[in-house]
Amino acid sequence: MTNIYAVILAAGQGTRMKSKLYKVLHPVCGKPMVEHVADNIHTLDVNRIVTIVGHGAEKVKEQLGEKSEYVLQEQQLGTAHAVIQAESILGSLEGTTLVVCGDTPLIRPETMKALFEHHADQKAKATILTAIADNPTGYGRVIRDQDNQVAQIVEQKDATEEQKLVNEINTGTYCFDNKALFEALKLVNNENAQGEYYLPDVIEILQQQGEVVSAYICENFDETLGVNDRVALSQAEEIMRSRINEMHMRNGVTIINPSSTNISADAQIGRDTVIKPGTVIEGATVIGEDCIIGPNSTIANSKIGDRTTIQNSVVTNSIVGEDTAVGPFAHLRPDSQLGNKVKIGNFVEVKKSTLGNETKVSHLSYIGDAEVGNNVNIGCGSITVNYDGKNKYQTVIEDDVFVGCNSNLVAPVTLGEGSFIAAGSTITNDVPAEALGIARSRQENKLDYVKKLK
């Protein structure tokens, strides 16, 4: 097969977004649009990807990293002007080049592959990805000749009234013979209503040279949606969310109410897991089999073991073991790690701590900067006092420790294996193994005291 290359157009600021964030970096289902495009292209096993950057160049480079090479378009003078910036990298190479916009996150890899195959079958110098639009306003129109071949592409602002009635639109995605592309780009001028160098003019130039120009009609118009404002962004989010949820359901995940469930494009979920309404799963989260997630839970960039329940809770950058229960109304902050058969109950917060197997923190507790062993019971209202106003310190609780209710463990402190902490204690010194730690005032009863008040 011929070498294949890709050029991603990502230089525009996107003024219609009315945002400080550059357009192609706006996320759809948790991933920036331009990264969706780059990841989809990577599945095609391309030889080289070049991203044209301009506004927000460093941010785009930071996001995509080594997924692409980059060239800078210092002035945004049109799509043809953008593509020709890649000449120094691609101009002399033999092969086929895909040109795609960084604000079209919904184009599937399967569609890109079909476009390449159609281009090769037709032995074309250029192939346009087109679509049939119910309302083509704003799109460039694909004008065909009497033989139903592509004659030209006319931009909305340059179209006649008759041409505006055409509903086959140019999606802005193309395949080109690479060398023919860069030769034709040198002939493009800016004699149009916008005073810009249009990439679609390459089509007309190649036709005038007698080259074969073809078009491949995308079966699903939704795939071709270009995101130019917040309304289109919400539409892309809805389409992508539905696509992701359907994929998981077909793979054996139960989603009770897909319309109220947001799952990132990079999440993995095991079979027979149930996702309840109001749940948000972000980033590269991995959830095992037979779990129950939600309702109204948020899990971000975390790993959840098999048969675990997360109810009305937030889990961020953490690891949760198998057969574990979290919530309702619990919060696992970053760098928390729970073992198997752990219980984290209502209004419990865990931060940067490790909890061993079969440990229970059932209610109203804070565990921060702690290393907690196996089979530990931490009573209601108990906390690790990890911060002195300047520095954080660690609490170590060894296996089989029982911490009574309303205890304060003032770090740095270690509770030895099998030790007991009396309820209401403020522990400031280490407690030896199998010892009872008690730190509270002795009770004193004042007899007949109430009578004196009266």
Side-chain angles (χ1 to χ4, degrees), residues 14-329:
T15 54
R16 281 182 281 174
M17 298 294 287
K18 293 182 171 59
S19 174
K20 295 182 290 295
L21 184 65
Y22 302 106
K23 180 172 73 169
V24 298
L25 294 178
H26 278 266
V28 174
C29 291
K31 182 192 291 188
M33 292 189 284
V34 70
E35 191 167 6
H36 278 290
V37 174
D39 288 347
N40 289 340
I41 292 171
H42 268 285
T43 66
L44 305 176
D45 195 26
V46 297
N47 297 88
R48 300 179 81 165
I49 298 176
V50 180
T51 300
I52 312 301
V53 293
H55 292 287
E58 294 307 314
K59 294 290 186 181
V60 174
K61 290 180 184 179
E62 182 181 334
Q63 184 65 47
L64 294 183
E66 296 182 358
K67 293 180 180 180
S68 176
E69 301 172 71
Y70 305 92
V71 292
L72 179 66
Q73 184 188 20
E74 293 184 358
Q75 291 181 285
Q76 279 67 62
L77 302 178
T79 50
H81 180 260
V83 175
I84 205 168
Q85 307 306 308
E87 185 178 21
S88 60
I89 297 176
L90 300 178
S92 63
L93 302 178
E94 298 279 354
T96 302
T97 296
L98 173 73
V99 178
V100 60
C101 296
D103 62 2
T104 55
L106 299 174
I107 300 178
R108 297 174 184 263
E110 295 86 350
T111 299
M112 295 179 182
K113 183 179 180 182
L115 177 64
F116 273 114
E117 291 173 349
H118 180 87
H119 178 80
D121 290 343
Q122 298 297 312
K123 297 181 173 57
K125 289 294 184 181
T127 301
I128 312 154
L129 181 65
T130 70
I132 306 302
D134 293 334
N135 179 8
T137 302
Y139 290 95
R141 307 303 202 278
V142 177
I143 308 301
R144 294 181 180 264
D145 60 23
Q146 62 272 22
D147 297 321
N148 203 35
Q149 300 300 310
V150 176
Q152 64 179 137
I153 300 172
V154 181
E155 297 298 318
Q156 169 82 22
K157 293 183 179 181
D158 300 314
T160 66
E161 291 304 314
E162 183 180 358
Q163 289 170 334
K164 288 178 181 178
L165 297 176
V166 174
N167 65 353
E168 184 178 7
I169 58 99
N170 173 24
T171 68
T173 298
Y174 311 85
C175 268
F176 293 102
D177 174 271
N178 188 66
K179 283 194 170 181
L181 168 64
F182 285 100
E183 288 300 318
L185 283 169
K186 296 172 185 176
L187 303 177
V188 174
N189 62 53
N190 64 345
E191 295 174 4
N192 52 61
Q194 289 291 92
E196 294 186 350
Y197 297 90
Y198 290 150
L199 183 59
D201 287 354
V202 170
I203 301 301
E204 190 171 351
I205 290 168
L206 291 173
Q207 285 173 325
Q208 291 171 353
Q209 294 173 349
E211 304 291 359
V212 176
V213 173
S214 185
Y216 176 77
I217 300 177
C218 183
E219 293 181 2
N220 187 346
F221 175 76
D222 285 347
E223 285 191 50
T224 68
L225 177 69
V227 176
N228 292 311
D229 57 25
R230 305 292 181 125
V231 175
L233 183 66
S234 71
Q235 293 168 345
E237 180 84 19
E238 183 178 356
I239 294 166
M240 181 74 77
R241 181 178 68 242
S242 177
R243 183 188 295 179
I244 291 169
N245 289 349
E246 180 178 339
M247 180 269 291
H248 285 295
M249 289 187 286
R250 293 193 182 281
N251 287 336
V253 176
T254 295
I255 301 178
I256 302 297
N257 187 349
S259 65
S260 69
T261 302
N262 289 5
I263 302 175
S264 86
D266 295 328
Q268 301 175 46
I269 306 175
R271 290 186 303 175
D272 293 315
T273 283
V274 177
I275 310 296
K276 293 188 175 183
T279 293
V280 178
I281 299 171
E282 300 177 342
T285 291
V286 178
I287 298 174
E289 298 184 353
D290 301 295
C291 296
I292 299 175
I293 309 297
N296 304 316
S297 293
T298 299
I299 303 175
N301 295 302
S302 297
K303 184 175 181 180
I304 312 298
D306 296 343
R307 299 173 300 280
T308 284
T309 299
I310 311 288
Q311 181 182 3
N312 295 89
S313 296
V314 176
V315 180
T316 305
N317 296 96
S318 294
I319 298 173
V320 180
E322 298 179 349
D323 302 291
T324 287
V326 177
F329 313 117

